[in-house]
Amino acid sequence: MASREFALIDTYFKGKGHQRKDVVLGIGDDCALLAVSDSTLLAVTTDTLVAGVHFPLDTPARAVGHKAVAVNLSDLAAMGAEAAWVSLALTLPDADDAWLAEFASAVVEVCDYYGVTLVGGDTTRGPLSVTITAQGKIPAGKQLTRSGAKPGDWLYVTGTLGDAALGLALVQGREQASSDHHEFLVGRLNYPTPRLLAGQALRGVASSAIDISDGLASDLGHILSASHCGANLFLDKLPLSQALLGTMALESAWQLALGGGDDYELLFTVPEAQKGALDTALAHCGVKHSCVGQLRGGEGISYLNHGQTVELDVRGYEHCWS
Ligand code: ADP
Ligand code: MG
C-alpha cells in the first residue's frame, strides 16, 4: 500500500469514534486483535484483489482464487494466529461458469489445505474484485506484532525474496526466463504460500513480525517505525532463488528482493537469546529461514554488502498493471 493511503487511513479512520475495551490491537498491524474471552484473541484481516490492479486481467481464475485466500492467511500468519474462518465478497462482471468453477475450486482447495472453513460472503455485479476476510485464533498474550523489536535483535525472513516480482515482469513481457525458471517464478506470483505454521512456531520466540506484501524495504519500514528502531540489512545474506539469480544480474535481483511485492514471506526479529530456539522451532515446520540483518538504534535502513556500506535507492512497489 502506498504511503498516501496510510496517511488517508490515519486522517479519516484510525482511532475515530467509540473505542471498545476488548480491542487489543486496532488499525495499524497485519490483523486486528479482539479479546473474545480471557484466554483467546480473535485475529481479523481483510484484503481485496482488484482485477487489473492487484493481478493482470489475464490471470487464471485458479490463481485469483488461491491468491485471494492466501494473502489473507498470510496476514494471520504474521500475527502467529491459527487460521479458522474466511468469508468471500465477490464482485463479478458476469456469471461465467467455467471461470467460477476454476476460481471456486481453488478457494476450496486452499481452505481445505489450511483447515479453514468458508462461512459467508457477498456476491455482486461489477468490475472483477475479490475481498476476503480471514479470522483466526491466538492464545492471549502470544500474539506477534510489528512493535516488539529492540536494537540488537536479529532480522530474519522465510523462503526466498523477489521471485513474485520477477514473475510479474515475466507475465507482462518485461523480462524473459528459461521455461523452468518461468514456471517457478510465475507460480510464486500466482500461488503464494502463507507461512501459517512458521508464524505459530514463532510465538514466544520472535519479538516482532510482519508479512512481506509490498517488498522487504517497505515492510521492514513498518516494523522499524512501530518499534522505534533502525536496521542494518545484509545484502549478501538476502535469500535469492536459483531462478531469480539465473535470470538477472545481482544488483537487479537485490532491487526485486527489496522493492518488489507479493512475496508473502514472513519478516521477523529474534533476540540474541532466542536464536537457538528459533532454529528448533522452524526446523519442525520445514520452512527455510535466513538472517538478513540486525536492528540498531536510530531510524531507517542501512544497506551493507559483506560489511561495506552500499548506497541503494530501493524503488518501491506500485500496484499498477494498466
Ligand atoms: P496489510 O498489507 O498487512 O494487509 P494494509 O497495508 O492493507 O495491511 O493496511 C494497514 C492497516 O490499515 C491495517 O491494520 C488495516 O486493517 C488498516 N486499514 C486499511 N484500510 C482501512 C480502512 N479503510 N479503514 C480502516 N482500517 C483500514
Ligand atoms: Mg500484512
Side-chain angles (χ1 to χ4, degrees):
M1 189 191 275
S3 54
R4 105 181 152 271
E5 280 146 359
F6 291 119
L8 179 156
I9 295 162
D10 281 354
T11 305
Y12 295 104
F13 300 116
K14 194 169 178 176
K16 307 290 179 201
H18 178 64
Q19 301 293 309
R20 290 176 56 104
K21 294 214 163 40
D22 52 9
V23 179
V24 172
L25 193 58
I27 293 173
D29 215 301
D30 292 293
C31 294
L33 296 176
L34 313 173
V36 288
S37 76
D38 288 346
S39 59
T40 305
L41 294 173
L42 185 68
V44 183
T45 184
T46 298
D47 263 313
T48 296
L49 300 186
V50 177
V53 179
H54 300 96
F55 58 89
L57 293 171
D58 57 358
T59 302
R62 168 165 293 280
V64 177
H66 176 101
K67 190 162 182 173
V69 178
V71 304
N72 279 278
L73 299 187
S74 177
D75 277 326
L76 293 179
M79 309 300 291
E82 173 202 345
W85 309 280
V86 293
S87 46
L88 163 65
L90 188 57
T91 303
L92 291 169
D94 47 44
D96 175 337
D97 278 328
W99 190 95
L100 270 170
E102 284 285 298
F103 171 85
S105 76
V107 168
V108 168
E109 209 170 275
V110 67
C111 286
D112 277 355
Y113 186 85
Y114 291 103
V116 169
T117 304
L118 175 65
V119 292
D122 193 23
T123 307
T124 51
R125 192 174 289 262
L128 178 60
S129 155
V130 185
T131 298
I132 298 266
T133 298
Q135 305 191 45
K137 297 193 284 186
I138 310 173
K142 298 288 185 192
Q143 66 271 27
L144 306 173
T145 68
R146 298 175 179 183
S147 60
K150 299 262 185 313
D153 289 357
W154 296 95
L155 188 65
Y156 287 84
V157 293
T158 57
T160 56
L161 301 178
D163 301 323
L166 180 52
L168 177 63
L170 294 176
V171 298
Q172 292 180 325
R174 291 186 279 115
E175 297 280 352
Q176 288 202 316
S178 70
S179 59
D180 277 8
H181 290 345
H182 184 103
E183 194 181 338
F184 169 81
L185 294 161
V186 174
R188 292 276 287 157
L189 172 70
N190 284 340
Y191 300 95
T193 306
R195 301 296 188 187
L196 281 157
L197 282 182
Q200 288 166 56
L202 291 175
R203 292 175 186 163
V205 174
S207 50
S208 72
I210 189 170
D211 70 325
I212 306 179
S213 52
D214 295 337
L216 173 58
S218 165
D219 290 311
L220 173 56
H222 294 313
I223 286 188
L224 298 182
S225 53
S227 300
H228 310 290
C229 292
N232 293 332
L233 205 122
F234 312 145
L235 294 168
D236 51 299
K237 298 286 169 46
L238 288 175
L240 306 173
S241 67
Q242 290 302 317
L244 187 69
L245 287 171
T247 308
M248 51 199 345
L250 186 58
E251 286 245 349
S252 310
W254 285 345
Q255 281 290 344
L256 288 188
L258 297 169
D262 281 353
D263 288 316
Y264 297 103
E265 295 294 346
L266 294 181
L267 169 66
F268 56 94
T269 57
V270 176
E272 173 74 29
Q274 295 287 344
K275 279 180 96 172
L278 168 70
D279 292 335
T280 311
L282 288 193
H284 287 304
C285 37
V287 176
K288 170 187 147 93
H289 59 289
S290 310
C291 181
V292 297
Q294 189 173 26
L295 298 205
R296 53 165 170 75
E299 55 184 35
I301 305 172
S302 308
Y303 297 100
L304 299 152
N305 186 25
H306 297 288
Q308 301 291 314
T309 303
V310 175
E311 290 303 323
L312 210 61
D313 179 23
V314 177
R315 292 181 292 275
Y317 179 66
E318 302 268 334
H319 291 292
C320 184
W321 281 269
S322 50

